[in-house]
Structure formats: C-alpha cells, structure tokens
Amino acid sequence: MPSNKDEDGLVVLVFNKKETEIRSQQQQLVESLHKVLGGNQTLTVNVEGTKTLPDDQTEVVIYVVERSPNGTSRRVPATTLYAHFEQANIKTQLQQLGVTLSMTRTELSPAQIKQLLQNPPAGVDPIIWEQAKVDNPDSEKLIPVPMVGFKELLRRLKVQDQMTKQHQTRLDIISEDISELQKNQTTSVAKIAQYKRKLMDLSHRTLQVLIKQEIQRKSGYAIQADEEQLRVQLDTIQGELNAPTQFKGRLNELMSQIRMQNHFGAVRSEERYYIDADLLREIKQHLKQQQEGLSHLISIIKDDLEDIKLVEHGLNETIHIRGGVFS
C-alpha cells in the first residue's frame, strides 16, 4: 500500500515507451505535460522517478508545484491533478503523448482498507479471500490482490521477471564496486608497505646523521659513563648477532635447508607430484612472506652493523684525538 499523502501530489503515468526513451526525452516530456496543464507559468512539472514495466512500458511518477504571487509554493494535491488528467480532452492529449494509464499514489484511508478487505473482489470465493487475509505477512503495509485469469497471471510473471532482472543488475553493479574496492585495497596495502620501507630507510639515515653530529659535538671531551655503557651494550648486540645460535646462525641454517631441498629436488626430478592449485598458492604466498621477512631482517642487520662500525670509528677517532692532546 502506498504511504504518500494526498498533499504530496504524486500521480503515476504509465507510458507505452521504453524507459531509455523516456529518460532521453524527459525534458520534452515535462514541457509537454506543462502544455497539457494549460501552460500556466505558476505551475512547474517535476519527475519524482521512473520505473521499467513489462511489455516495454514505463511508469513515471510526477508532481506539480504551484507558486503563488507572494512567493510561496505548494504541491498540487494528487486528487486534484488526477481529476484534471481524467477530463476527456486532457485524457486525449495524454494518449497522444503515449500515456495508457494514470492513477494517484496516495495512502488508503482506514475506511477504504476496511471496505476492500470486507468485500471480496468479483469472481473470488469468500473463503479464499479470508484465507488470503490470514496469509498476509504484513497487514499494515500489504493487502491481498487477486489474480483472475491467465492474462493477470502472465502479467504477474512478467513483473516478477522484470524485478529479477533489476535485482541482478543491481547485484552486478555491487559486484563491480566490490572488485574496484578490492583493487584499491591492494594498491593501498602496497603503498603502505612501500612507505614503511621508506620510513625505515629514512630512520636509518637520520640515525647516521645524528651519530656524526654527536661525534663532532663530543669531540675533545672525555668519554662519559653513559657513553661507556652504550659501547658495552653495542658490543653485546654485536656479539649476539655474530653468535652461532642467534640470527646469523639461523640464517645459515635456513640457507643450508634451502640448498638441501634444491639438492633433493634435483635428485628426485624424475618423480612427479601433483599439488592442489589452492594449496600451491598458499605455499607460494607463505614462502614469499618468509622471503620478505628474511630480506627485511638481513637489511636491518646490515644497517645496524654499519651503524655500529660508524660508532666504533667515531669512538676510535675521539680516543686518538684525546691521546694526541694529552701527549
């Protein structure tokens, strides 16, 4: 059941034309309807919406706004506009525009609903009508509509087919939007990873600059306790990195395993194994992530070693300078 009020002024016109044709000629249609209303300059015809119907027909919902001399405006009531369209001469003009049916789109009053439900339509058994009212899933928004004859059944099938096509079109649009969003997400993730790597590189470069600046600032001064403590910590980190059981040893172990796998792969090259495509993709993705992690870890270790060497070089220069001064 419609929920619009009479003051909303919505009137439905069914055109014997395709929706594409209606949309392409919407401005001409508005001007033609304005002429049907007498060409009154105080009236403005507006299109609320269009909807495709079976048999190449189109439903167009319109409303008319009337402007008063004092500057205010109001919508012409739907019943008033519909009564004007139902006049014989006006109806003929609408038929020339391709209009096959006109109706108001207004809510039913409680009395009208009661009358519709209490009186079964012609040709419908009262028992079947009562059962239809019982089966109504939402009596506040829906009312039973009888289907009498094969013609009405065919019309209902065409309407359902039309709605199915519209739903499929909407699903296709949503699917395309999701695919586009997934592409954008992939691009964004790649950019974020790139920016992270760039940030890390800039952080290391900034650290190198700070080290050089600190060496120049501390030149000529005696080694302080916190500097000596920092040197001890750096020596400890260097020792952990070079320890066989730490990162370097693990990297060597991984390299050995890779070489061993390559060796076994060469030996067993004649044997054939079949792996599921999805499982193979997961393995490739996992190995790719492991490789990226190893590359990132090696890069960090190399940068840290360079930073340690730079610090040791600065400390040695400082000791050498101080030794020359005291000598």
Side-chain angles (χ1 to χ4, degrees):
M1 292 183 290
S3 59
N4 307 100
K5 299 183 180 300
D6 187 40
E7 293 78 11
D8 296 331
L10 298 182
V11 173
V12 177
L13 300 177
V14 178
F15 287 83
N16 195 19
K17 298 179 181 180
K18 295 183 178 180
E19 185 180 7
T20 55
E21 184 179 355
I22 293 293
R23 289 185 178 275
S24 63
Q25 301 177 358
Q26 182 170 323
Q27 185 59 36
Q28 294 87 331
L29 176 63
V30 170
E31 293 176 356
S32 300
L33 292 175
H34 187 262
K35 291 180 182 179
V36 171
L37 295 173
N40 193 339
Q41 297 300 321
T42 61
L43 300 178
T44 304
V45 179
N46 299 273
V47 177
E48 178 75 11
T50 59
K51 178 182 177 182
T52 301
L53 297 178
D55 300 328
D56 294 333
Q57 293 184 333
T58 304
E59 176 187 285
V60 180
V61 182
I62 67 169
Y63 64 91
V64 177
V65 177
E66 181 181 12
R67 296 188 304 274
S68 60
N70 59 6
T72 59
S73 60
R74 71 177 185 92
R75 291 192 182 190
V76 176
T79 52
T80 304
L81 185 59
Y82 173 74
H84 180 76
F85 285 158
E86 284 299 304
Q87 296 179 15
N89 58 333
I90 301 299
K91 201 168 186 178
T92 302
Q93 297 180 34
L94 291 176
Q95 291 175 353
Q96 293 176 356
L97 295 177
V99 177
T100 60
L101 179 65
S102 62
M103 67 187 78
T104 60
R105 177 160 289 181
T106 56
E107 62 180 356
L108 300 175
S109 64
Q112 291 174 325
I113 297 175
K114 183 178 181 180
Q115 183 179 3
L116 285 172
L117 295 178
Q118 287 183 349
N119 300 317
V124 177
D125 187 270
I127 298 177
I128 298 177
W129 183 248
E130 290 296 328
Q131 185 63 39
K133 291 191 293 183
V134 173
D135 296 337
N136 189 353
D138 190 350
S139 59
E140 295 183 358
K141 297 181 179 180
L142 306 175
I143 55 174
V145 177
M147 287 190 301
V148 180
F150 289 102
K151 184 177 180 180
E152 181 64 21
L153 179 61
L154 178 61
R155 187 192 69 84
R156 179 65 62 87
L157 289 175
K158 289 181 178 180
V159 170
Q160 290 182 352
D161 183 62
Q162 185 69 35
M163 290 301 298
T164 302
K165 291 180 179 179
Q166 292 180 1
H167 291 162
Q168 186 61 47
T169 302
R170 176 57 58 183
L171 289 175
D172 293 339
I173 294 174
I174 294 174
S175 178
E176 292 177 359
D177 293 341
I178 292 175
S179 299
E180 187 67 23
L181 290 174
Q182 288 176 344
K183 292 180 181 178
N184 294 338
Q185 181 187 14
T186 304
T187 304
S188 300
V189 170
K191 287 184 177 180
I192 291 173
Q194 179 182 357
Y195 291 150
K196 284 183 177 180
R197 291 192 296 268
K198 187 175 181 181
L199 175 61
M200 188 172 296
D201 181 61
L202 292 175
S203 300
H204 287 296
R205 292 173 62 184
T206 304
L207 180 60
Q208 293 177 1
V209 173
L210 291 174
I211 290 172
K212 293 180 180 180
Q213 182 182 4
E214 188 69 13
I215 291 173
Q216 292 179 359
R217 189 176 70 87
K218 294 288 187 177
S219 179
Y221 291 91
I223 297 178
Q224 299 178 0
D226 56 345
E227 294 177 342
E228 183 64 28
Q229 185 179 2
L230 178 60
R231 182 176 181 178
V232 172
Q233 292 178 356
L234 292 175
D235 291 338
T236 304
I237 294 174
Q238 181 69 31
E240 290 179 354
L241 293 174
N242 294 330
T245 58
Q246 296 298 323
F247 299 105
K248 190 173 182 179
R250 293 178 183 177
L251 290 176
N252 293 333
E253 182 181 355
L254 289 173
M255 292 299 295
S256 300
Q257 292 179 1
I258 292 174
R259 293 192 189 98
M260 186 179 298
Q261 290 176 359
N262 292 335
H263 174 70
F264 286 132
V267 173
R268 300 179 181 179
S269 59
E270 296 181 357
E271 300 180 7
R272 294 183 179 179
Y273 297 93
Y274 296 95
I275 302 178
D276 183 67
D278 295 335
L279 180 59
L280 183 60
R281 280 196 298 269
E282 292 180 3
I283 293 174
K284 289 182 178 179
Q285 182 68 21
H286 179 70
L287 292 177
K288 182 180 179 182
Q289 293 176 354
Q290 293 292 333
Q291 184 64 31
E292 290 177 354
L294 290 174
S295 301
H296 182 60
L297 180 60
I298 292 172
S299 176
I300 293 176
I301 292 174
K302 288 182 178 180
D303 293 340
D304 291 340
L305 288 174
E306 292 178 0
D307 295 340
I308 292 172
K309 290 179 180 179
L310 187 59
V311 172
E312 288 181 347
H313 180 69
L315 292 174
N316 291 332
E317 287 184 353
T318 303
I319 295 172
H320 178 70
I321 292 172
R322 292 174 179 172
V325 173
F326 288 117
S327 64

